[in-house]
Amino acid sequence: TWELAHRYDVDQEHARNVAELCRQLFRQLRREHELEERYETLLYVAAALHETGSYINISSMHKHSMYLIMNSTLFGLTGDDLQLVAMVARYHRRSMPKTTHQPYASMDRYRRVIVSKLAAILRIAIALDASRSQRIHHIECRRVRNRLIISVPSVDDLSMEQIAVRRSRLFFETIFGLEVLL
């Protein structure tokens, strides 16, 4: 994974931090996402590679990331796993998944739900490193009624990340039915 990220000149500090934040979110949101453990690994890989497409063009980075991942081989991942990773990376920004988008449309409903859940988590993790300074390493999530409250005990000023979370939380809120607060 990191070899592929290196090949496409990914900001590895940012990618590693986002991947680790995804891991924490996945583990702390088990009750909400109800996904098998193996999807944590696929989310981690998608997070590590979500910016590979900037190697081709920054304006359509998400689409180029999908293409590069789908046309790569990663040790230990099946073709289906690779497609899922590519789709999660595809939806790390901009539009939400739509059944008019290929190859998302070709997936069965179960896999489309998985892509949506993982991509929603990835968007929140990216927002948590909006400053690209890796200031946030540890998060604590708790659910209070219909809200997901993400606390960052070790960082004082979260204004930049709060703005980023507000901008990217709609997808998460739509998928999980929880308002996200940082």
Side-chain angles (χ1 to χ4, degrees):
T1 302
W2 295 111
E3 188 178 301
L4 189 64
H6 179 72
R7 183 184 318 154
Y8 292 115
D9 207 23
V10 166
D11 175 351
Q12 289 194 40
E13 287 78 24
H14 171 68
R16 283 182 197 279
N17 198 52
V18 168
E20 184 52 42
L21 290 168
C22 278
R23 181 174 277 157
Q24 290 181 51
L25 285 164
F26 187 91
R27 290 175 181 175
Q28 294 183 44
L29 297 172
R30 278 196 176 98
R31 271 188 38 225
E32 287 72 27
H33 63 64
E34 301 177 320
L35 295 173
E36 297 169 30
E37 300 270 326
R38 70 187 201 86
Y39 293 112
E40 180 183 330
T41 301
L42 299 181
L43 174 59
Y44 187 91
V45 173
L49 301 175
H50 77 277
E51 289 188 334
T52 54
S54 65
Y55 185 80
I56 297 172
N57 185 334
I58 195 117
S59 70
S60 293
M61 171 192 359
H62 53 298
K63 293 177 186 175
H64 295 305
S65 292
M66 175 189 72
Y67 174 82
L68 291 172
I69 294 166
M70 286 183 88
N71 290 286
S72 297
T73 51
L74 290 169
F75 181 77
L77 296 188
T78 66
D80 284 347
D81 289 342
L82 212 52
Q83 183 188 36
L84 206 120
V85 167
M87 291 291 93
V88 172
R90 157 71 170 96
Y91 294 110
H92 84 269
R93 66 181 207 161
R94 301 232 175 124
S95 73
M96 292 191 217
K98 295 182 177 79
T99 51
T100 55
H101 295 166
Q102 281 294 343
Y104 179 78
S106 67
M107 298 175 119
D108 62 37
R109 185 183 182 285
Y110 177 72
R111 288 176 58 79
R112 288 196 307 258
V113 167
I114 292 167
V115 166
S116 294
K117 287 178 178 182
L118 296 181
I121 291 170
L122 176 57
R123 287 187 187 198
I124 297 299
I126 292 167
L128 292 172
D129 194 36
S131 66
R132 299 180 82 90
S133 64
Q134 297 80 54
R135 298 180 324 123
I136 297 176
H137 295 286
H138 177 71
I139 57 172
E140 295 172 4
C141 299
R142 67 183 201 281
R143 187 175 178 166
V144 180
R145 290 184 288 287
N146 65 337
R147 288 185 168 156
L148 173 67
I149 300 169
I150 303 172
S151 301
V152 185
S154 58
V155 179
D156 294 330
D157 181 16
L158 294 169
S159 51
M160 180 180 260
E161 291 82 5
Q162 286 169 328
I163 292 166
V165 166
R166 276 197 296 275
R167 286 186 182 148
S168 62
R169 70 183 182 185
L170 178 63
F171 187 22
F172 186 95
E173 292 174 348
T174 302
I175 298 302
F176 293 102
L178 295 170
E179 180 185 1
V180 180
L181 296 172
L182 177 62

